[in-house]
Amino acid sequence: MATLQAIYRQAVDAFAAAGLDAPADDARHLVSGILGLSLSGMMSEGARELEADEEAAVAAAVKRRLAREPVYRILGAREFYGLDFMLSDDTLEPRPDTEILVEHCLPWLERAVKRNGAARIVDLGTGTGAIAVALLKNCAETTALATDIADGALETARANALINGVADRFVTRRGPWFSAVQGRFDMIVSNPPYIVSDVIATLAPEVREHDPALALDGGADGLDAYRAIAAQADAHLAENGVIALEIGFDQKDMVTAIFCKAGFTPVESHRDLGGNDRVVIFASARKS
């Protein structure tokens, strides 16, 4: 029987030999996840000998990672904004860049609650439900409607709302963008598909082969979703409401132009941890 430390080192060496970008991080998260250990437990239990079934489970997971399946797809879940989210074939992985969107949405929601006593969100293209669920978890006076075109994504989002204790304030509807939406909301939020269609074939296999194409493909110029949202947002945004969006690193000016043309005013923009433009927020066209 091999020790935990030895199995971990074998994984690191295999990932490094395969040219993976972060072999030590991948091995740490994968092995700890498969064995149900915390990252600190990986260190404190390093001398523990693994049972045969544990070794086999880790070996199978390592094989999948070497085939370029992402770590968190192998584990079936990922942490986002301090919460755990299940993944499925119909959802993107919630990624750290999107946490910046949540972070900058929360002050707007808190102001809406202070103003109205409660706030309503619609999350367009919800996927795992990560954005809406994180907002609900951090703003108790808020309710959310989440839309998606994939039944599997909506099923996953409902499960994640239940896991994170906000299912009573979380409703889903199937359909593209606003097609299944009625009423007005204090916040329209979305991390829509924004990758140029011709670029998808050049993405890393972890993305190209494992993320759902419908959640990636933003059309010929990557902006189709933003045009669709801008065209209908005014009919669904409450007074003093805002539209908060994740964008591609080079799309700030183009997305801003689309929403300004539709009558909205840019009020905030924020960069991700890599210094790239990542979030834009627009004010309602109607003022109180």
Side-chain angles (χ1 to χ4, degrees), residues 180-204:
V181 175
Q182 295 180 340
R184 295 186 182 274
F185 298 82
D186 300 290
M187 177 176 288
I188 296 168
V189 64
S190 185
N191 176 17
Y194 55 68
I195 297 175
V196 173
S197 299
D198 289 346
V199 171
I200 291 176
T202 71
L203 298 175

mmCIF file of all heavy atoms in Angstrom, residues 180-204:
data_model
loop_
_atom_site.group_PDB
_atom_site.id
_atom_site.type_symbol
_atom_site.label_atom_id
_atom_site.label_comp_id
_atom_site.label_asym_id
_atom_site.label_seq_id
_atom_site.Cartn_x
_atom_site.Cartn_y
_atom_site.Cartn_z
ATOM 1 N N ALA A 180 -39.197 33.557 -21.103
ATOM 2 C CA ALA A 180 -40.066 32.970 -20.069
ATOM 3 C C ALA A 180 -40.194 33.874 -18.854
ATOM 4 O O ALA A 180 -40.630 33.435 -17.787
ATOM 5 C CB ALA A 180 -39.514 31.613 -19.641
ATOM 6 N N VAL A 181 -39.846 35.151 -19.018
ATOM 7 C CA VAL A 181 -39.799 36.089 -17.894
ATOM 8 C C VAL A 181 -40.981 37.048 -17.959
ATOM 9 O O VAL A 181 -41.282 37.599 -19.015
ATOM 10 C CB VAL A 181 -38.476 36.890 -17.907
ATOM 11 C CG1 VAL A 181 -38.469 37.945 -16.809
ATOM 12 C CG2 VAL A 181 -37.288 35.941 -17.745
ATOM 13 N N GLN A 182 -41.613 37.240 -16.819
ATOM 14 C CA GLN A 182 -42.654 38.249 -16.682
ATOM 15 C C GLN A 182 -42.318 39.142 -15.495
ATOM 16 O O GLN A 182 -41.703 38.704 -14.528
ATOM 17 C CB GLN A 182 -44.018 37.595 -16.470
ATOM 18 C CG GLN A 182 -44.499 36.770 -17.658
ATOM 19 C CD GLN A 182 -45.853 36.137 -17.404
ATOM 20 O OE1 GLN A 182 -46.268 35.989 -16.257
ATOM 21 N NE2 GLN A 182 -46.543 35.773 -18.469
ATOM 22 N N GLY A 183 -42.753 40.388 -15.561
ATOM 23 C CA GLY A 183 -42.546 41.300 -14.454
ATOM 24 C C GLY A 183 -41.241 42.058 -14.546
ATOM 25 O O GLY A 183 -40.471 41.929 -15.504
ATOM 26 N N ARG A 184 -41.000 42.874 -13.523
ATOM 27 C CA ARG A 184 -39.820 43.725 -13.464
ATOM 28 C C ARG A 184 -38.943 43.341 -12.273
ATOM 29 O O ARG A 184 -39.448 42.849 -11.258
ATOM 30 C CB ARG A 184 -40.230 45.198 -13.387
ATOM 31 C CG ARG A 184 -40.957 45.690 -14.648
ATOM 32 C CD ARG A 184 -41.223 47.181 -14.595
ATOM 33 N NE ARG A 184 -41.944 47.633 -15.779
ATOM 34 C CZ ARG A 184 -41.357 47.981 -16.921
ATOM 35 N NH1 ARG A 184 -40.029 47.935 -17.022
ATOM 36 N NH2 ARG A 184 -42.075 48.380 -17.954
ATOM 37 N N PHE A 185 -37.666 43.635 -12.409
ATOM 38 C CA PHE A 185 -36.686 43.184 -11.435
ATOM 39 C C PHE A 185 -35.739 44.317 -11.069
ATOM 40 O O PHE A 185 -35.437 45.190 -11.890
ATOM 41 C CB PHE A 185 -35.893 42.001 -12.006
ATOM 42 C CG PHE A 185 -36.754 40.807 -12.313
ATOM 43 C CD1 PHE A 185 -37.466 40.743 -13.508
ATOM 44 C CD2 PHE A 185 -36.891 39.776 -11.402
ATOM 45 C CE1 PHE A 185 -38.280 39.665 -13.789
ATOM 46 C CE2 PHE A 185 -37.695 38.694 -11.671
ATOM 47 C CZ PHE A 185 -38.400 38.638 -12.864
ATOM 48 N N ASP A 186 -35.266 44.276 -9.841
ATOM 49 C CA ASP A 186 -34.306 45.272 -9.379
ATOM 50 C C ASP A 186 -32.920 45.038 -9.968
ATOM 51 O O ASP A 186 -32.108 45.964 -10.032
ATOM 52 C CB ASP A 186 -34.224 45.256 -7.852
ATOM 53 C CG ASP A 186 -35.559 45.574 -7.217
ATOM 54 O OD1 ASP A 186 -35.983 46.736 -7.318
ATOM 55 O OD2 ASP A 186 -36.194 44.653 -6.655
ATOM 56 N N MET A 187 -32.668 43.802 -10.374
ATOM 57 C CA MET A 187 -31.383 43.496 -10.999
ATOM 58 C C MET A 187 -31.567 42.430 -12.062
ATOM 59 O O MET A 187 -32.184 41.384 -11.819
ATOM 60 C CB MET A 187 -30.363 43.014 -9.959
ATOM 61 C CG MET A 187 -29.013 42.619 -10.565
ATOM 62 S SD MET A 187 -27.806 42.178 -9.290
ATOM 63 C CE MET A 187 -27.469 43.807 -8.611
ATOM 64 N N ILE A 188 -31.033 42.707 -13.241
ATOM 65 C CA ILE A 188 -30.856 41.706 -14.294
ATOM 66 C C ILE A 188 -29.379 41.364 -14.293
ATOM 67 O O ILE A 188 -28.525 42.256 -14.434
ATOM 68 C CB ILE A 188 -31.285 42.255 -15.662
ATOM 69 C CG1 ILE A 188 -32.777 42.568 -15.672
ATOM 70 C CG2 ILE A 188 -30.925 41.276 -16.772
ATOM 71 C CD1 ILE A 188 -33.226 43.372 -16.880
ATOM 72 N N VAL A 189 -29.066 40.093 -14.107
ATOM 73 C CA VAL A 189 -27.662 39.691 -14.023
ATOM 74 C C VAL A 189 -27.430 38.520 -14.971
ATOM 75 O O VAL A 189 -28.324 37.682 -15.167
ATOM 76 C CB VAL A 189 -27.278 39.327 -12.565
ATOM 77 C CG1 VAL A 189 -28.049 38.118 -12.065
ATOM 78 C CG2 VAL A 189 -25.775 39.090 -12.436
ATOM 79 N N SER A 190 -26.253 38.475 -15.572
ATOM 80 C CA SER A 190 -25.966 37.378 -16.487
ATOM 81 C C SER A 190 -24.468 37.238 -16.725
ATOM 82 O O SER A 190 -23.736 38.232 -16.787
ATOM 83 C CB SER A 190 -26.656 37.613 -17.842
ATOM 84 O OG SER A 190 -26.481 36.498 -18.697
ATOM 85 N N ASN A 191 -24.050 35.997 -16.862
ATOM 86 C CA ASN A 191 -22.744 35.657 -17.415
ATOM 87 C C ASN A 191 -23.044 34.891 -18.703
ATOM 88 O O ASN A 191 -23.057 33.669 -18.720
ATOM 89 C CB ASN A 191 -21.945 34.798 -16.437
ATOM 90 C CG ASN A 191 -20.623 34.338 -17.030
ATOM 91 O OD1 ASN A 191 -20.143 34.881 -18.020
ATOM 92 N ND2 ASN A 191 -20.031 33.309 -16.435
ATOM 93 N N PRO A 192 -23.302 35.610 -19.792
ATOM 94 C CA PRO A 192 -23.782 34.962 -21.010
ATOM 95 C C PRO A 192 -22.641 34.377 -21.842
ATOM 96 O O PRO A 192 -21.459 34.657 -21.572
ATOM 97 C CB PRO A 192 -24.457 36.120 -21.751
ATOM 98 C CG PRO A 192 -23.615 37.300 -21.387
ATOM 99 C CD PRO A 192 -23.201 37.068 -19.952
ATOM 100 N N PRO A 193 -22.961 33.598 -22.865
ATOM 101 C CA PRO A 193 -21.910 33.148 -23.795
ATOM 102 C C PRO A 193 -21.291 34.363 -24.488
ATOM 103 O O PRO A 193 -22.015 35.207 -25.014
ATOM 104 C CB PRO A 193 -22.679 32.286 -24.804
ATOM 105 C CG PRO A 193 -23.986 31.978 -24.165
ATOM 106 C CD PRO A 193 -24.284 33.112 -23.244
ATOM 107 N N TYR A 194 -19.963 34.455 -24.486
ATOM 108 C CA TYR A 194 -19.352 35.631 -25.120
ATOM 109 C C TYR A 194 -18.096 35.309 -25.921
ATOM 110 O O TYR A 194 -17.354 36.209 -26.326
ATOM 111 C CB TYR A 194 -19.066 36.727 -24.095
ATOM 112 C CG TYR A 194 -18.220 36.361 -22.891
ATOM 113 C CD1 TYR A 194 -16.871 36.055 -23.014
ATOM 114 C CD2 TYR A 194 -18.762 36.377 -21.612
ATOM 115 C CE1 TYR A 194 -16.094 35.765 -21.913
ATOM 116 C CE2 TYR A 194 -18.005 36.092 -20.486
ATOM 117 C CZ TYR A 194 -16.665 35.790 -20.646
ATOM 118 O OH TYR A 194 -15.901 35.499 -19.542
ATOM 119 N N ILE A 195 -17.863 34.052 -26.212
ATOM 120 C CA ILE A 195 -16.701 33.690 -27.012
ATOM 121 C C ILE A 195 -17.078 33.708 -28.493
ATOM 122 O O ILE A 195 -18.132 33.194 -28.884
ATOM 123 C CB ILE A 195 -16.167 32.312 -26.600
ATOM 124 C CG1 ILE A 195 -15.694 32.364 -25.135
ATOM 125 C CG2 ILE A 195 -15.031 31.861 -27.510
ATOM 126 C CD1 ILE A 195 -15.250 31.034 -24.585
ATOM 127 N N VAL A 196 -16.231 34.303 -29.303
ATOM 128 C CA VAL A 196 -16.455 34.337 -30.751
ATOM 129 C C VAL A 196 -16.490 32.912 -31.288
ATOM 130 O O VAL A 196 -15.649 32.071 -30.932
ATOM 131 C CB VAL A 196 -15.332 35.151 -31.427
ATOM 132 C CG1 VAL A 196 -15.427 35.072 -32.943
ATOM 133 C CG2 VAL A 196 -15.372 36.605 -30.952
ATOM 134 N N SER A 197 -17.466 32.627 -32.139
ATOM 135 C CA SER A 197 -17.682 31.249 -32.610
ATOM 136 C C SER A 197 -16.412 30.612 -33.169
ATOM 137 O O SER A 197 -16.086 29.461 -32.858
ATOM 138 C CB SER A 197 -18.774 31.224 -33.684
ATOM 139 O OG SER A 197 -19.998 31.683 -33.176
ATOM 140 N N ASP A 198 -15.667 31.371 -33.999
ATOM 141 C CA ASP A 198 -14.481 30.806 -34.644
ATOM 142 C C ASP A 198 -13.336 30.546 -33.675
ATOM 143 O O ASP A 198 -12.384 29.842 -34.025
ATOM 144 C CB ASP A 198 -13.994 31.752 -35.749
ATOM 145 C CG ASP A 198 -14.926 31.785 -36.948
ATOM 146 O OD1 ASP A 198 -15.789 30.895 -37.046
ATOM 147 O OD2 ASP A 198 -14.792 32.711 -37.781
ATOM 148 N N VAL A 199 -13.426 31.107 -32.479
ATOM 149 C CA VAL A 199 -12.353 30.947 -31.492
ATOM 150 C C VAL A 199 -12.518 29.661 -30.689
ATOM 151 O O VAL A 199 -11.541 29.129 -30.138
ATOM 152 C CB VAL A 199 -12.306 32.179 -30.552
ATOM 153 C CG1 VAL A 199 -11.359 31.972 -29.387
ATOM 154 C CG2 VAL A 199 -11.915 33.418 -31.341
ATOM 155 N N ILE A 200 -13.716 29.127 -30.624
ATOM 156 C CA ILE A 200 -13.985 27.992 -29.745
ATOM 157 C C ILE A 200 -13.091 26.801 -30.057
ATOM 158 O O ILE A 200 -12.585 26.121 -29.151
ATOM 159 C CB ILE A 200 -15.472 27.611 -29.816
ATOM 160 C CG1 ILE A 200 -16.305 28.729 -29.168
ATOM 161 C CG2 ILE A 200 -15.735 26.274 -29.120
ATOM 162 C CD1 ILE A 200 -17.797 28.525 -29.261
ATOM 163 N N ALA A 201 -12.829 26.560 -31.337
ATOM 164 C CA ALA A 201 -11.983 25.422 -31.720
ATOM 165 C C ALA A 201 -10.549 25.573 -31.237
ATOM 166 O O ALA A 201 -9.806 24.582 -31.164
ATOM 167 C CB ALA A 201 -11.997 25.240 -33.233
ATOM 168 N N THR A 202 -10.137 26.777 -30.876
ATOM 169 C CA THR A 202 -8.762 27.014 -30.433
ATOM 170 C C THR A 202 -8.614 26.970 -28.919
ATOM 171 O O THR A 202 -7.497 27.098 -28.407
ATOM 172 C CB THR A 202 -8.267 28.384 -30.932
ATOM 173 O OG1 THR A 202 -8.946 29.435 -30.215
ATOM 174 C CG2 THR A 202 -8.534 28.560 -32.413
ATOM 175 N N LEU A 203 -9.713 26.820 -28.196
ATOM 176 C CA LEU A 203 -9.649 26.832 -26.737
ATOM 177 C C LEU A 203 -8.979 25.566 -26.214
ATOM 178 O O LEU A 203 -8.901 24.541 -26.895
ATOM 179 C CB LEU A 203 -11.065 26.948 -26.156
ATOM 180 C CG LEU A 203 -11.838 28.220 -26.514
ATOM 181 C CD1 LEU A 203 -13.266 28.131 -25.970
ATOM 182 C CD2 LEU A 203 -11.128 29.453 -25.978
ATOM 183 N N ALA A 204 -8.522 25.624 -24.981
ATOM 184 C CA ALA A 204 -7.922 24.454 -24.331
ATOM 185 C C ALA A 204 -8.919 23.304 -24.307
ATOM 186 O O ALA A 204 -10.138 23.526 -24.204
ATOM 187 C CB ALA A 204 -7.506 24.813 -22.906
#
